[in-house]
Amino acid sequence: MKKILQLQEVKVIAKKQTLLDVPEFTLQQGDLLGVIGPNGAGKSTLLKVLSFLQAPNEGRVVYKGEEKHANTLSLDIRRRFAVAMQQPLLFDTNVQQNVVLGLKLRKENKKIINEKVDYWLNKFQIDHLAKKNALSLSGGEAQRVNLARALILEPEVLFLDEPFSALDFPTKAQLIQDLKEILNDTSTTTFFVSHDLLEIKHLTKSLAVIMNGNVEQIGYTKEVIDQPNQAVAPFLNKWKELYTL
Amino acid sequence: MKIVSQIVLMFLLIFVITACKSNDNNEGQPSHGQKDMILATTTSTQDSGLLDVLIPIFEEKYNINVKTIAVGTGQALAMGKQGEADALLTHAPTSEEELVETEEVINRKRVMYNDFIIIGPKADPARISGADINTALQRISENKATFVSRGDGSGTHKMELDLWEKARVDPSNESWYIETGQGMGSTLQLSAEREGYLLADRATYLAHANNFEHMSVLVEGTDELLNIYHVMQVNDKNHGLVNGEAGLLFVEFMVSNEAQEIIKDFGVEQYNQPLFFQYTE
Amino acid sequence: MNLFIEGILKAIEMILSGDREIFKITYTTLQVCLTAIFISTLIGIPFGVFLGLNSFPGKKIVLVFVNIGMGLPPVVAGLYITMLLWRSGPLGHLGLLYTTHAIVIAQVLVSLPIIIGLTSAAFQQMDSKMLMQIKALGATRFQKVGLLLRETKLAIMAAIMAGLGRVLAEVGAAMMVGGNIKGDTRILTTSMVMEVSQGNFDVAIALSFILMTLAFIITFILTSLQQRKQLV
């Protein structure tokens, strides 16, 4: 497996507090990595640093073996990624316009845009909503638009920050199922922050557990869940108890 | 809808741009030999409409663009003193003479006169009708009848203060004495509303007379009430940017036969009486 | 009441008869106000965006000044500009006093803080997650500002309309720096003040109708622009 993103000696400090302290971290190409941890553990900060949205205070972010200085947030590299967050954060225009936004920002050819948008609207089963205003959609519909907006970019890495946590269970289950197929088809490298062990189990290949700004354990999802190390065991076990209820 | 508003937006943009350009054209005129001149004068002269007739003739004749700034006499004289104007047309002889003495202005010439009148409600509560001016003011004071003053340092206001002094009355702290701090027209309207007496110049009163029929002229026709206008140029030796040449031309124009003929007849058609009388030296 | 009806009739008469002076005054008003608001928008929006999106030392003080400026009484602006433009003042040699340029300057001074203030407020209210999302979509700095301008369009157009309202209504400064010169710097508001002081209420009422019609038309156009929906 190829290394697509690496962190070396990365620290993020805000107001004299260390939010993130990662001596060594690697995201492999083709991986589907879940990231869990308690609130405020640094999951979202890790996502921002990896996706070139936030420069770390110390350390290096390495893209495909190419070292990028901590504080140069290269637009060129950022454009190879896509991010979908918990809130859909759609714009006040129709669904189609929202989905093509990233391509338009990249000044992509119109013909290609039209082909791609049809494909992705169809893939996420939102073709019938194309002309509808994005702000009038239901939560599930909006999140489909959000994911389509990210995946239409055919990103080298897809970053997801709790994209399902605001959805009700049946909607969530259906969307996870659909997304899993799409990610399998495209074999997109995915970095998936979540709060939900079920989502993680269902969707990811490997799993990282973050606590207090440190990556405490990383490995195959099943292994981490079944054999948590000392640092993460209390957190994971409590969770597992909840789910077996 | 989208296209319509885009077209309208384009139209607005073009309008603004052409507006800037047409502005430049106006500005460009001086480069064709036309010069600007600032004339500071009183609101009463402007309100009478006389300048609307005289100025265009002057502009045409000498190719000078006159900017007429109508303010109170106090401000007009101050503008002269500071060199903000090139010529003055005012009616406060005493204050004007001070400027002549300090050589702030030169070439001061008498142009015309009309007269001040005391106006009041037809009911005339202080019974001043037909009285001489001193008696009239004293009666107003004795009866504590409402009197409305310009209070703005204008020529009319200065004249009024002189008259009070001559009548040996000091109204300044009395409750019946109202100071508006505004121009002649607004003060006239206020006095009509409050049914008060006031000193006004005849020209402005005639222009307003049809707006308040319950007011009438109560005291008029004495020498003390003469309202004399002088024209003068600002001394260009004191201020670098003063257009002395144009100022001199304007003074000469105002006392010329051509201008005086117009002044003599002005207002006859509309009010059946002239608003100003020739009064050159 | 009679006066009101007379005023309406006078307005219709003056407009129908194509009164040259009325036309000139209206034209000058439009020219001056639109130029002023155009300049204010051109300067105010970028400045407001900058203030809204960035934090830097001294930002608070700048915002305080902008907010004071939003309430700057036009006569105060007029007075200062008059003093600057006086022949004896520092900019006297430019000969700008008593020109339409001077009115434009005064109107920019009173409308600019409104546009800056309301624009920066709109940008400050922007969800920080939305800013992150726009960045994540691969927007350049310019594209980001462009998207945000569209998202805050309602507020920005409201800012422009508020500025325009101030400029159209303003009279004190225009009187002072323009001098209300016939056929030159006379605009609708200053000429209304003059007509009222001369007792010509019918003309003043007629002018007021023209002014309100202008305000209505311009606001209508801006409102319909405001309500448009289109991205990139």
Side-chain angles (χ1 to χ4, degrees), chain A:
Chain A
M1 268 210 258
K2 268 182 166 173
K3 295 171 179 177
I4 188 158
L5 278 167
Q6 280 173 283
L7 298 185
Q8 294 168 356
E9 311 295 337
V10 160
K11 273 189 183 173
V12 175
I13 301 155
K15 291 175 188 157
K16 289 180 185 168
Q17 268 197 310
T18 307
L19 300 181
L20 200 65
D21 182 358
V22 183
E24 159 75 268
F25 177 87
T26 305
L27 183 62
Q28 306 282 0
Q29 191 151 14
D31 196 1
L32 224 163
L33 174 72
V35 180
I36 57 169
N39 277 330
K43 303 184 296 278
S44 293
T45 309
L46 179 62
L47 181 144
K48 284 179 208 162
V49 169
L50 281 169
S51 60
F52 282 76
L53 288 174
Q54 182 179 346
N57 301 78
E58 285 175 31
R60 292 165 300 277
V61 184
V62 181
Y63 168 75
K64 285 189 174 170
E66 205 182 315
E67 182 182 319
K68 288 291 160 187
H69 251 290
N71 40 13
T72 52
L73 293 175
S74 165
L75 176 71
D76 176 47
I77 294 180
R78 201 189 311 140
R79 282 189 167 176
R80 300 172 196 208
F81 304 152
V83 181
M85 300 196 228
Q86 182 181 345
Q87 296 104 320
L89 297 169
L90 301 178
F91 292 90
D92 184 9
T93 181
N94 70 34
V95 165
Q96 185 170 354
Q97 292 285 332
N98 266 286
V99 172
V100 300
L101 183 58
L103 292 176
K104 274 198 172 177
L105 293 174
R106 285 160 178 75
K107 307 235 182 300
E108 188 61 82
N109 178 307
K110 258 206 173 124
K111 219 177 122 192
I112 297 176
I113 291 183
N114 286 336
E115 282 166 19
K116 282 189 179 175
V117 73
D118 287 343
Y119 176 79
W120 285 101
L121 286 175
N122 181 271
K123 204 94 174 150
F124 277 97
Q125 298 150 40
I126 45 175
D127 349 36
H128 61 292
L129 301 172
K131 297 292 171 197
K132 230 179 147 185
N133 186 290
L135 300 188
S136 66
L137 303 179
S138 71
E141 288 169 339
Q143 208 50 268
R144 281 172 186 268
V145 175
N146 188 16
L147 289 168
R149 177 173 68 176
L151 276 159
I152 197 174
L153 301 172
E154 291 161 10
E156 290 184 15
V157 183
L158 173 67
F159 291 92
L160 300 173
D161 193 352
E162 304 184 27
F164 313 116
S165 59
L167 304 180
D168 60 64
F169 188 78
T171 313
K172 184 192 289 194
Q174 184 61 51
L175 184 51
I176 290 175
Q177 194 54 47
D178 291 348
L179 182 65
K180 190 177 180 180
E181 275 170 32
I182 290 168
L183 291 180
N184 274 338
D185 286 357
T186 55
S187 54
T188 307
T189 312
T190 306
F191 181 93
F192 175 47
V193 172
S194 176
H195 249 122
D196 185 333
L197 215 50
L198 276 186
E199 285 173 23
I200 295 284
K201 263 183 146 170
H202 199 74
L203 210 53
T204 64
K205 293 178 190 164
S206 40
L207 178 62
V209 185
I210 300 192
M211 303 190 73
N212 297 320
N214 303 305
V215 180
E216 298 287 4
Q217 188 174 5
I218 187 162
Y220 289 115
T221 304
K222 202 173 158 14
E223 280 176 24
V224 173
I225 291 175
D226 292 346
Q227 300 151 24
N229 66 20
Q230 253 184 340
V232 305
F235 170 70
L236 270 185
N237 288 338
K238 206 170 252 175
W239 217 350
K240 285 193 293 193
E241 267 172 45
L242 271 175
Y243 278 99
T244 50
L245 264 179

Side-chain angles (χ1 to χ4, degrees), chain B residues 26-39 55 58-60 62-67 86 241-247 249, chain C residues 87 95 184:
Chain B
N26 286 344
E27 294 285 295
Q29 274 166 2
S31 64
H32 299 296
Q34 199 182 25
K35 284 203 170 112
D36 279 346
M37 182 195 105
I38 295 176
L39 168 68
I55 297 293
F58 175 75
E59 287 182 323
E60 175 98 348
Y62 297 105
N63 196 26
I64 291 171
N65 179 34
V66 178
K67 291 172 176 280
D86 305 305
L241 292 166
V242 169
N243 188 344
E245 195 187 339
L249 284 173
Chain C
R87 283 172 176 175
D184 187 2

